[in-house]
Amino acid sequence: MKILVDANVPAADACLAPLGEVVRRPGRQIAPADLRDVDALVVRSITRVDAALLAEARRLRFVGTCTIGTDHVDSALLAERGIAFASAPGCNAEAVVDYVLVSLSTLAERQGWRLAERRVGVVGAGNVGGRLLARLSAMGIDSLACDSPRVEAGDVPPEQAARFVSLDALIEACDVLCLHTPLVGEGPHATRHLLDAQRIASLAPGTVLLNAGRGDCVAGDALRARLAGQADIAAVLDVWEQEPAIDAALRDLAEIATPHVAGYSLDGKLRGTHQVTRALCQALGLPCRVTLDDLLPAPPLAGLVLGPGLGPEEALRLAMRAVYDPRRDHDALRREHRARGMAAGFDACRADYPLRREFATLEVALPAGERETARWLAGSGVRVTTA
């Protein structure tokens, strides 16, 4: 069996080599001719899997994407051709929530406000949004949610129903908006330009807009105009329209601007590879002998000791940044843009991404009696011990 894999998929050899010949190719360079004698294709979000790409695929039996999102894959076409398909739902959800929390904490420090004083609105309560809501609740941060498809399907526990409101009600009630929706082009629950010019204009001064879902869910031109004109809201953007050739002016106006790496933890990537490998084995009736524990290395920073006297939010910032600081990725995007141009620089940031682990890999030791700090830290996802 021949397996073609995006060159940025980690541990592909460890997972897939036991199943056959593994050929690596940069995701944006995968072309129809590459699929002529391929049995399985494993990609990430930058490879569009459609009729054009599959024009010369004669032996293809499986397509897997090591990502949560699937809007880059024509799954209906695959089903029509009898090609098995799998994604990796939830694989990097914890990493995206890490990104959201540390980015908001960084912005709070920069602008002089406290997370505890804000109400966070979460748009999309799936794998990422649902985890974010759970962590916010555990930390004691007020939050509301909007997920119309989930509400209509009756997929909201009764005890949580009061937290789910319409998008416009969410915008009116919340100080922070976090977008975690898939990209849906049409229909009653379309999300393309979900935040259109009208909704962006309606954002109250002081609002923080964070998008770590899909770039096309926000009208970039309208957001740029609001940021450049009134300059009274703040944006944290990890996803963009027209990736990788994103709007440089919008990037410059964002408080934190990163190159679609919110979910780029090593843990999340390895989960994605392993999930797709298991799906491939199941589809082809093969044994899967590699476990996720086989793939995950020990974290470079396993423990942190904090002394007394720190407030909960200061302790939280120290712990989160010890694991991951989004300012690194913000600076890398600017640096690579200057060196290579926007599109090539954007892709270079992703291809050469440095090691990053998740909050759950860190254990924080606190003095006895720091109950509030312990609650914030444990709620954020790190492990807490007390002396």
Side-chain angles (χ1 to χ4, degrees):
M1 178 167 60
K2 186 174 181 179
I3 308 167
L4 178 61
V5 185
D6 182 314
N8 287 334
V9 171
D13 290 330
C15 287
L16 300 171
L19 307 177
E21 177 190 2
V22 176
V23 178
R24 287 179 172 270
R25 190 162 180 78
R28 293 198 197 279
Q29 296 179 22
I30 294 175
D34 296 322
L35 297 177
R36 286 174 185 161
D37 58 348
V38 165
D39 300 283
L41 172 65
V42 178
V43 299
R44 291 188 61 81
S45 60
I46 61 175
T47 303
R48 179 71 189 171
V49 181
D50 54 15
L53 182 65
L54 303 185
E56 301 182 40
R58 300 292 179 261
R59 288 170 32 186
L60 193 64
R61 293 181 285 163
F62 176 87
V63 171
T65 180
C66 300
T67 58
I68 294 176
T70 61
D71 50 88
H72 56 294
V73 178
D74 188 340
S75 55
L77 174 65
L78 297 181
E80 179 184 315
R81 297 190 181 185
I83 299 171
F85 171 62
S87 61
C91 68
N92 63 355
E94 297 291 349
V96 177
V97 178
D98 289 353
Y99 173 93
V100 171
L101 293 178
V102 71
S103 294
L104 292 179
S105 178
T106 297
L107 194 58
E109 180 186 45
R110 183 181 294 169
Q111 296 187 334
W113 46 268
R114 298 176 60 239
L115 279 172
E117 298 169 347
R118 294 293 175 113
R119 174 181 282 171
V120 179
V122 179
V123 184
N127 279 311
V128 175
R131 285 173 169 83
L132 176 58
L133 288 164
R135 287 208 224 171
L136 291 170
S137 292
M139 296 164 69
I141 297 175
D142 191 16
S143 61
L144 294 174
C146 171
D147 195 318
S148 298
R150 194 172 295 274
V151 171
E152 289 186 12
D155 190 22
V156 176
E159 66 274 14
Q160 296 183 18
R163 296 176 68 190
F164 282 74
V165 299
S166 71
L167 178 57
D168 292 321
L170 192 84
I171 290 172
E172 183 175 355
C174 294
D175 310 294
V176 178
L177 300 180
C178 297
L179 272 62
H180 302 290
T181 63
L183 180 61
V184 179
E186 55 188 22
H189 300 300
T191 61
R192 186 180 185 279
H193 286 188
L194 185 66
L195 260 64
D196 56 13
Q198 182 176 351
R199 284 185 169 133
I200 289 171
S202 74
L203 297 178
T207 297
V208 175
L209 170 61
L210 186 152
N211 190 7
R214 286 291 181 265
D216 286 336
C217 293
V218 175
D221 289 349
L223 178 58
R224 185 184 66 238
R226 175 74 188 263
L227 292 170
Q230 294 169 255
D232 60 348
I233 65 172
V236 175
L237 301 176
D238 181 61
V239 291
W240 312 78
E241 293 180 298
Q242 305 299 324
E243 292 181 14
I246 68 171
D247 182 344
L250 178 57
R251 182 211 56 191
D252 288 344
L253 290 165
E255 289 283 342
I256 299 175
T258 52
H260 201 155
V261 293
Y264 259 40
S265 69
L266 177 63
D267 310 68
K269 290 179 180 180
L270 292 177
R271 279 191 211 102
T273 305
H274 189 251
Q275 285 179 233
V276 168
T277 300
R278 284 190 303 169
L280 171 59
C281 290
Q282 184 176 4
L284 302 184
L286 301 171
C288 184
R289 306 190 188 281
V290 179
T291 70
L292 183 58
D293 287 340
D294 294 332
L295 304 176
L296 285 169
L301 178 65
L304 184 67
V305 178
L306 298 181
L310 292 171
E313 295 202 32
E314 181 64 21
L316 180 71
R317 262 192 293 275
L318 285 172
M320 291 192 298
R321 286 180 185 165
V323 180
Y324 169 58
D325 189 338
R327 295 174 299 184
R328 177 194 69 184
D329 296 330
H330 175 95
D331 293 343
L333 180 57
R334 290 174 177 271
R335 181 176 64 248
E336 294 299 327
H337 174 205
R338 289 193 299 268
R340 305 170 187 253
M342 181 58 82
F346 191 97
D347 279 348
C349 289
R350 291 160 57 87
D352 302 323
Y353 197 71
L355 175 67
R356 171 182 158 199
R357 300 305 299 269
E358 294 177 356
F359 292 171
T361 63
L362 180 68
E363 182 174 280
V364 178
L366 289 176
E370 300 281 346
R371 292 190 182 89
E372 184 69 6
T373 298
R375 181 172 68 86
W376 274 73
L377 288 169
S380 76
V382 304
R383 293 173 290 118
V384 178
T385 61
T386 55

